[in-house]
Structure formats: structure tokens, C-alpha cells
Amino acid sequence: MRKPIIVGNWKMNKNNAETKAFFEAVDGVAASENATYGIGCPFTDLRTALDHAKNLVVAAENCHFEDSGAFTGEVSVPMLEEMGVKYCIIGHSERREMFGDTDETVNKKAKRLIKAGITPILCVGETEADYDSGNSEKVIREELAGSLADLCPKCVGEMVIAYEPIWAIGTGKSASVEIAENCCKIVRDQVKVMYGEEAAEKVRIQYGGSVKPNNIVEYMAQPDIDGALIGGASLKEDSFTEIIEKTK
């Protein structure tokens, strides 16, 4: 059985005082042997989050694939490793659309994170235009083919892959349970095509896109959905607590 993993993605929100208050309110609720709960927070909040996390895992929201160099404003994997970060979100659609991340750079990030023993949470997903034109499967498979290239089957099995339809991120829209399950099944099948049955059965797949307390249980009941990557609902202590309590 795959252990469910639910992670909040704060994006560019919360200062250190707000981070401390959130973890003090929520961390105790996240104690569970049956599921993993966590928060992806801005680089400036990582130290505060790590210092106050006993049950919640802490994820960075991005990284660079080089260890050091003339990359102003970037943060390297060794920097995250030294802090004790254990998860890192890569390939989020906002990074791909706004900041030039490609399947190739996401692949480099995944390789460097794996080398450091940090679990990548690798995001894929189609635009509304892709969805409307019936190209969801094509886009998902192509993004995975590039982003997961030249990895070992064991490493892929230990990763987390987040399917996030771009048209459902921050829009208030959410993919139906049927669409989300079908696309997560496509993700699992692409892993099987590339790395075999064992990796496909082990890899944990999240759904992300307007996940809230009132729909989390439906998504988590699906056989190929092992968790969620949560945006807005993870910013509020009460809503994220409710999500945790409903999925323990």
C-alpha cells in the first residue's frame, strides 16, 4: 500500500511570524502513521518551518540544478540539504509558464535532488487549451518522458508526482473526480512504460487543483490518487487542519 502524502504549496505567501504561528497551530494535528502531511514554503520561511515541524514535513518550492555559481537569486540543492529539507517541489506550472522551466531543467533538478536524498515532488499538467482540444494525455506523457528521463526505476518509485491541470490551479475550478483519476492513471501508466511495473506501483501520485476540505475525501478515495498538492486551502490553519483530519 502506498502511504498517502498531502502537501500544501504556499507559493509566495507568509512571513516568518506567520509561518511560526501556522506550524504551532497545525503541526500537532499532523501526527499520523497512516499518511504524510507537509508544507512547501518560501525559501525565507524554511528555517522557521523546520524549527517548528515535528510532524509536518517541510518542502522547498523550487531549486537550481547547479551546486553553485553565477545564478543570482537561485538556491542550490546543497543549500537545502544543509538545512535539512527532505522534499522539494519542481516543475510547477507557474515555474514552467512564468520562469522558463522546461522538461530538461526539471529533469536536471530531479537528478540533483535524488543524489542529495531529497524527494522531488514533480509537477505535470495541461493547459485549458490542451484539455479542450483533447490533448491532456499527450501533454502528460510528453512532460513525464522529458522530466523523468534517465533516472533509475528505484529512484522514480520513491518520488512523488503531482498531476495539476493548469486550468484548475487558483481558478476555483477543479477537475472532476473522474478526470483527476483518469489523468493520475495516465501518469502511473507512463511511469510503467518508462520504468516498469514495480516503479509504477510504488510511485505516489498527487492531484492538485482547487483541492479543498469539501472535495479532498472524494479525490483520496480513487485508486490512483495517493495524495494532494494544495494551494489556497493550505494557507489557512482551519482549512488545512480540516483536510488533515478528514484524511487521517
Side-chain angles (χ1 to χ4, degrees), residues 29-48:
V29 185
S32 174
E33 294 182 1
N34 300 320
T36 300
Y37 299 99
I39 291 292
C41 61
F43 293 127
T44 52
D45 295 339
L46 285 172
R47 182 73 273 151
T48 299

Side-chain angles (χ1 to χ4, degrees), residues 71-105:
F71 305 104
T72 301
E74 291 292 327
V75 172
S76 72
V77 173
M79 293 173 184
L80 300 177
E81 187 180 12
E82 187 267 341
M83 292 184 77
V85 171
K86 296 299 183 186
Y87 289 81
C88 183
I89 300 167
I90 54 174
H92 192 280
S93 61
E94 290 158 4
R95 299 297 315 175
R96 292 177 186 261
E97 291 191 312
M98 299 178 194
F99 303 105
D101 276 11
T102 65
D103 294 339
E104 181 182 6
T105 59

Side-chain angles (χ1 to χ4, degrees), residues 54-161:
K54 293 182 176 62
N55 300 300
L56 288 164
V57 299
V58 176
E61 295 180 1
N62 188 35
C63 66
H64 198 281
F65 49 82
E66 294 288 356
D67 285 0
S68 61
F71 305 104
T72 301
E74 291 292 327
V75 172
S76 72
V77 173
M79 293 173 184
L80 300 177
E81 187 180 12
E82 187 267 341
M83 292 184 77
V85 171
K86 296 299 183 186
Y87 289 81
C88 183
I89 300 167
I90 54 174
H92 192 280
S93 61
E94 290 158 4
R95 299 297 315 175
R96 292 177 186 261
E97 291 191 312
M98 299 178 194
F99 303 105
D101 276 11
T102 65
D103 294 339
E104 181 182 6
T105 59
V106 172
N107 180 244
K108 289 179 179 180
K109 293 176 185 186
K111 289 175 179 174
R112 187 62 188 88
L113 288 166
I114 289 167
K115 182 180 177 183
I118 298 174
T119 301
I121 300 174
L122 193 157
C123 303
V124 297
E126 79 280 24
T127 65
E128 190 164 18
D130 290 325
Y131 173 74
D132 289 341
S133 59
N135 287 325
S136 295
E137 180 169 353
K138 179 175 181 288
V139 170
I140 292 166
R141 289 188 184 275
E142 286 179 350
E143 286 190 347
L144 288 170
S147 299
L148 295 177
D150 303 316
L151 298 173
C152 72
K154 181 176 183 293
C155 295
V156 174
E158 293 172 352
M159 289 175 60
V160 178
I161 299 175

